[in-house]
Each structure stands twice: as structure tokens, then as C-alpha cells.
Amino acid sequence: MRKREFLLPIERCPICGAKGTFRVKGRIDHIPYFGEIMETFANCTSCEFRHADVVCLGERPPLRYEFQIKSEEDLKVRVVKSSTGTIKLPELGVTVEPGPASEGYVSNIEGVLNRVEGAIKLAIKKIDATKRRRGQAKLKKIDEVRAGKRKTRLILMDPFGHSTIVNRRAKKRELTKRELELLREGPPR
Ligand SMILES: [Zn+2]
């Protein structure tokens, strides 16, 4: 199926109120074994607001996907991560939870690792030496996963079912009630 693209006409920027500077580009695509998804890219040339997201069209239950990253070849596996999705790399001690500025994207496992790496690099700039060492250890492990020298599971949980790992080896099931509660509560404060 061909990709369909569209542009939403929005008169004023909802963030800064400027006229004719805000636009939303959309793209509808078909993901095998998942269905139709819609990617959106919003940006304002006046206040430089930008946001990207992806949702699936149609109802989905809360879903959890689990995939074992075993080789360099696995880096090519396609991933749809909505702004509502939580990423876990349990063997690396990494969890990325959706925050207010959380974005959605269509990428592959390599792209997910790059984004996780970027988030850790940003976070360790602002913390004390002990935590920084822990962050650097995680970065080293990510490098090893990328080189096919370390295995880890990639877990993707989405209470709205908008996220998926597109591969036959990905194990899919509905989220349990307890898992849903923990996702809604967010990180411990
Ligand atoms: Zn604006």
C-alpha cells in the first residue's frame, strides 16, 4: 500500500499564537501484522515548537512486546514507538518512560538504541560522579549490544496499544492489570 501524506491547515500556533507559522504534516502508513498508523510532525517557525508522534488507527488493547536482541542483524527490526510507549532494556538496567515532552517515532532497534544513548548522555551531564559512572557503564553496554557482543531484551509497553515491534520473534501479550497500574503511576518519586 502506498503512503498517504497530508497537511493540516491550522491558522494560529497553539503555543505562541503567531499566525500562519504552525503546520502539522501527517503520513499514513501500513505496518505488517499491526495495521494502519499515522505519523504526525508539528512545528512552528515562530516559536520553534516541534513535536512528532505516531498512533495506530483503530482500537488496540494495552499491549506488551518483548524481543531478544541477539545480533547486529536484529538492529534492523522495525519499531513503532508512540509517545505513550515505555521502553525497557532490563539486562542493561534501562527504562525510558514517557514524559510531557515524549515523542513518538517509527524507526528500528538501532534507532531506539541511539535515542536511549542520547537520553543517557544528556542525563549524566547534570548528575554526581557515582551516578555518572553508572550511566557510562550503561552506555558501554549499549555499544556492546550494537556490536552484537551483548544480548538484551527490548520490552515495549503501551497502555493504548499504539506501539509495536515488527518481527515474528517478538512476543506479544496484553498488559496485566498490575503492569497497567504501574505504567499509570509513572516513576517512583
Ligand atoms: Zn509558535
Side-chain angles (χ1 to χ4, degrees):
M1 192 195 281
R2 271 190 57 207
K3 282 185 184 178
R4 281 168 284 154
E5 301 203 1
F6 57 88
L7 200 62
L8 287 179
I10 292 170
E11 209 189 321
R12 278 182 187 280
C13 171
I15 314 298
C16 71
K19 223 174 167 179
T21 59
F22 187 82
R23 52 182 219 156
V24 179
K25 266 195 297 180
R27 189 160 63 201
I28 293 175
D29 199 0
H30 187 265
I31 302 289
Y33 315 108
F34 191 59
E36 292 210 304
I37 58 159
M38 180 173 69
E39 287 174 88
T40 51
F41 306 93
N43 82 294
C44 173
T45 51
S46 174
C47 66
E48 296 191 345
F49 167 83
R50 41 191 303 140
H51 190 257
D53 206 352
V54 54
V55 294
C56 65
L57 303 175
E59 288 281 305
R60 293 286 190 294
L63 289 174
R64 178 189 188 275
Y65 287 84
E66 181 178 321
F67 182 82
Q68 178 87 28
I69 309 171
K70 292 196 273 197
S71 66
E72 278 181 85
E73 193 61 26
D74 290 341
L75 300 180
K76 297 178 198 158
V77 169
R78 214 168 172 200
V79 175
V80 177
K81 209 286 281 178
S82 176
S83 58
T84 52
T86 290
I87 287 171
K88 263 181 193 268
L89 299 160
E91 286 74 19
L92 272 51
V94 170
T95 302
V96 186
E97 282 164 324
S102 176
E103 297 216 316
Y105 53 86
V106 180
S107 187
N108 54 20
I109 287 181
E110 185 172 26
V112 172
L113 293 176
N114 291 344
R115 280 166 193 264
V116 170
E117 181 180 47
I120 294 173
K121 279 185 177 166
L122 205 68
I124 61 175
K125 276 187 189 167
K126 310 172 221 167
I127 53 176
D128 64 71
T130 317
K131 285 184 185 161
R132 192 174 310 132
R133 269 195 299 276
R134 244 178 271 158
Q136 279 157 349
K138 286 177 188 176
L139 292 175
K140 188 167 169 265
K141 287 178 185 171
I142 290 175
D143 274 337
E144 290 166 359
V145 173
R146 237 189 322 239
K149 288 176 190 155
R150 178 183 283 274
K151 292 175 191 171
T152 180
R153 286 172 293 158
L154 169 64
I155 294 171
L156 186 50
M157 292 181 284
D158 192 326
F160 301 95
H162 288 312
S163 306
T164 183
I165 301 171
V166 192
N167 190 275
R168 279 168 49 198
R169 273 172 37 221
K171 287 183 243 163
K172 170 184 149 185
R173 65 164 169 80
E174 279 195 36
L175 286 165
T176 64
K177 229 178 136 189
R178 183 70 191 129
E179 285 170 334
L180 260 176
E181 275 168 20
L182 288 171
L183 286 178
R184 290 213 179 99
E185 275 165 27
R189 284 181 198 100

